[in-house]
Amino acid sequence: MRYVTVLGATGSIGKSTLDVIRRHPDLFRVYGLAASTSVDSMIESIREFKPKVVAMSSQKAAVELLKQVKELKLPCEVLFGEDGVENLAGDGSADIVVGAIVGAAGLRPLIAAAKTGCIIALANKEALVMSGTIFFETAKKYGARVLPVDSEHSAIFQSLPFDVQENLGFCDLKKAHVDKILLTGSGGPFRDTPIKDLELVDAKTAIAHPVWSMGPKISVDSATMMNKGLEFIEARYLFNADDSDIQVVIHPQSVIHSMVSYEDGAVMAQLGNPDMRTPIAVALGFPERISSGVNRLDFTKLSSLTFLEPDFSRYPCLKLAMQASKSGQSATTALNAANEVAVASFLESKIKFTDISRVVESVLCSNTCKEPESIDEVLSIDENARKSAADYIGKLNG
Ligand code: NAD
Ligand code: MG
């Protein structure tokens, strides 16, 4: 029996994780659940999964949750605020901590979890984008193991040999005779939209992804392909890869979830229906395969599988992320923070879709922070970049 804590339990990945857990009462027990504001959804999950501890990062939501937990006589402890989430993640009672908080907010709790030596099932790519080296060094020091939940990284992981899988963060791709990691992406909802019309797209159309059903932030990131840029950086840290080891390929049908090409010409790929419960089940069950509830892929019903190169004039955010990746951890942290601020403004209709890349570019150009050596330094770069993004947005609107 493995005890699981789900950080970001009320979101898209959190709910899919709970659905996989629901199917395996013999394998998993929920120890802890954390979320931000969704009290009703949390109460529902407390009733079903009976966690020992829950945490809400919003103080107001935590007060409301505690009130309802008492009224309903639910036997669980309620922790308050960001500290509560971090304390739950780091209390050492869970064998597996699922990192499914969205954005930079996930970083501190995940570092706390890494210090307990647990298995980290990682969906929260922003945490790695901000702190890759420090994150893996912390995990190594405390004996924690990171397993990817992001579908592309899970596909790459599944296409790599066992000794690489056993040594994520420090593996040697050359020794494994890997020629290239082929990171696939659908190209998002605006793959075929005339570039001149992108200026006019609104938040509602941007979050209607053609293939995947996801939270609002990652849906916008998929439309700009910043998501693929963040995944490019995530892949570098997970697989200890150089920039030149990774190639981004657009694959609109999202049937192949990424590939690894080897020196002998063989290409290993992982295929399946686009449903996050597969990579979640891979991470929760590893090294065993467990059922996930995902429908089988029916090859006779598939149309063609197509591939194309990304056009950087359509996806400037992808290019900016690849440039930041070359510059280093300070740049990738600034990129991530600027993107979070820009996406939030776009979702509130305060800036245009095409302004997102402008905000990120301006923050990257003005970032002079040195390479971070601690999580506090990472968070200070993050804070500076947020301020500079907000200033730029103010000027855009002023
Ligand atoms: P979402 O918006 O649906 O859910 C986010 C969750 O995080 C919610 O439960 C929310 O309450 C919680 N949260 C936010 N701030 C918090 C805080 N400070 N403390 C505790 N909880 C907090 O997002 P999502 O689509 O599930 O994505 C979650 C993460 O997984 C993101 O990093 C995303 O990039 C990654 N991811 C998502 C998908 C997908 O298909 N949705 C695929 C791959 C990777
Ligand atoms: Mg992905």
Side-chain angles (χ1 to χ4, degrees), residues 72-282:
L72 297 164
K73 297 193 170 49
L74 296 169
C76 78
E77 187 186 345
V78 178
L79 302 182
F80 282 52
E82 304 279 351
D83 287 348
V85 175
E86 194 176 333
N87 289 339
L88 166 59
D91 87 352
S93 301
D95 303 294
I96 305 176
V97 172
V98 180
I101 293 177
V102 59
L107 179 58
R108 272 195 189 283
L110 280 173
I111 292 286
K115 289 184 178 169
T116 71
C118 66
I119 293 171
I120 295 178
L122 185 76
N124 181 202
K125 63 194 87 183
E126 296 92 340
L128 263 198
V129 165
M130 295 169 75
S131 73
T133 308
I134 301 172
F135 195 91
F136 272 107
E137 273 165 7
T138 309
K140 190 175 186 180
K141 182 168 168 196
Y142 293 93
R145 172 168 203 170
V146 181
L147 292 171
V149 166
D150 212 348
S151 59
E152 296 77 4
H153 305 74
S154 175
I156 295 161
F157 175 81
Q158 292 173 69
S159 304
L160 284 164
F162 186 69
D163 56 327
V164 172
Q165 292 176 335
E166 286 293 298
N167 201 16
L168 286 194
F170 302 94
C171 49
D172 186 342
L173 292 180
K174 296 279 168 294
K175 215 167 131 199
H177 304 283
V178 169
D179 172 48
K180 271 262 186 290
I181 285 173
L182 301 166
L183 181 66
T184 56
S186 72
F190 306 131
R191 197 184 53 244
D192 302 317
T193 308
I195 293 179
K196 64 173 179 34
D197 295 348
L198 291 178
E199 199 122 18
L200 301 172
V201 304
D202 61 6
K204 196 165 159 237
T205 1
I207 58 177
H209 195 275
V211 187
W212 297 92
S213 146
M214 309 178 286
K217 191 256 176 187
I218 184 177
S219 296
V220 176
D221 285 349
S222 299
T224 59
M225 272 193 97
M226 178 59 93
N227 184 49
K228 214 46 57 185
L230 299 175
E231 291 183 354
F232 183 92
I233 301 163
E234 182 186 15
R236 271 199 41 225
Y237 289 119
L238 272 169
F239 306 111
N240 196 21
D242 291 332
D243 291 306
S244 59
D245 293 330
I246 308 167
Q247 183 186 347
V248 175
V249 181
I250 293 187
H251 166 44
Q253 300 79 15
S254 295
V255 169
I256 295 176
H257 298 139
S258 279
M259 304 177 261
V260 177
S261 145
Y262 287 87
E263 270 174 18
D264 57 8
V267 180
M268 305 297 286
Q270 186 257 343
L271 289 72
N273 274 318
D275 185 322
M276 288 306 293
R277 290 175 300 174
T278 296
I280 290 166
V282 170

